[in-house]
Amino acid sequence: MASPLPPSRSPRRRNLLSGALFGIGVAAFVDEVVFHQLLQWHHFYDRSTTAAGLFSDGLFHAFGWFAVVAGLFLFADLRRWHEVILQPWAGGVLLGAGAFQLYDGTVQHKLMGLHQIRYEVDLLVYDTVWNAVAVLLMLSGAVLLWRTRAAVPPAADARTDA
């Protein structure tokens, strides 16, 4: 038995939100694993002891996973209602990852001074590459969203309560 969705539900917006949360979480995970753990270039908070830095890394890692889980819960709900539209979802992933990285590179690195990408090196190259990659991710996501702006769920007429 088909059940109409409440008028407040927007599949496109929900795909974008799910993708953005997933992208934020994945970007945080990659940052944590690559730059904090493998390369050991910095901690989330480098203005105190190593123990405080490691504790802040744990909180940062948890935040990333909470974002991934929230994005996947929304994705599961989209699947339940047959509302998954992969292109806007992928655009959201790129936008979320890029926005997170740009926020990290500008607010956390420069404005708040929580940490730098690396220490004891010329930061200009690192900051430029970091923020350029963020902008490229965001532009890619925006282009994908713009190109698929008229996309609708593939099975919009097959929604059920199951």
Side-chain angles (χ1 to χ4, degrees), residues 104-117:
D104 183 41
T106 56
V107 175
Q108 292 179 356
H109 293 184
K110 299 304 174 198
L111 295 177
M112 295 173 72
L114 296 178
H115 62 268
Q116 295 299 323
I117 296 173

Side-chain angles (χ1 to χ4, degrees), residues 1-160:
M1 164 154 126
S3 172
L5 294 176
S8 63
R9 253 181 109 91
S10 168
R12 183 169 169 73
R13 248 184 280 157
R14 290 173 58 79
N15 274 276
L16 175 60
L17 177 61
S18 170
L21 284 169
F22 185 78
I24 288 168
V26 167
F29 174 75
V30 169
D31 182 12
E32 169 68 25
V33 169
V34 174
F35 298 102
H36 296 222
Q37 294 174 6
L38 296 176
L39 296 174
Q40 298 178 7
W41 283 358
H42 62 261
H43 296 292
F44 178 75
Y45 184 72
D46 272 339
R47 302 179 91 192
S48 186
T49 64
T50 301
L54 288 172
F55 180 76
S56 70
D57 283 349
L59 293 176
F60 176 55
H61 202 62
F63 158 79
W65 279 115
F66 287 140
V68 165
V69 168
L72 290 177
F73 266 101
L74 284 172
F75 188 80
D77 187 56
L78 289 164
R79 283 189 47 97
R80 176 180 175 251
W81 288 99
H82 306 283
E83 295 177 331
V84 173
I85 316 169
L86 285 179
Q87 295 87 354
W89 187 83
V93 171
L94 293 169
L95 272 176
F100 171 82
Q101 188 163 331
L102 188 61
Y103 167 80
D104 183 41
T106 56
V107 175
Q108 292 179 356
H109 293 184
K110 299 304 174 198
L111 295 177
M112 295 173 72
L114 296 178
H115 62 268
Q116 295 299 323
I117 296 173
R118 282 193 79 175
Y119 293 96
E120 301 171 9
V121 297
D122 180 19
L123 287 174
L124 181 61
V125 173
Y126 289 93
D127 288 337
T128 302
V129 170
W130 187 266
N131 291 326
V133 168
V135 169
L136 286 173
L137 286 167
M138 290 175 66
L139 284 173
S140 299
V143 166
L144 187 55
L145 285 169
W146 184 78
R147 291 182 62 195
T148 62
R149 64 192 177 280
V152 295
D157 58 349
R159 295 183 185 123
T160 63

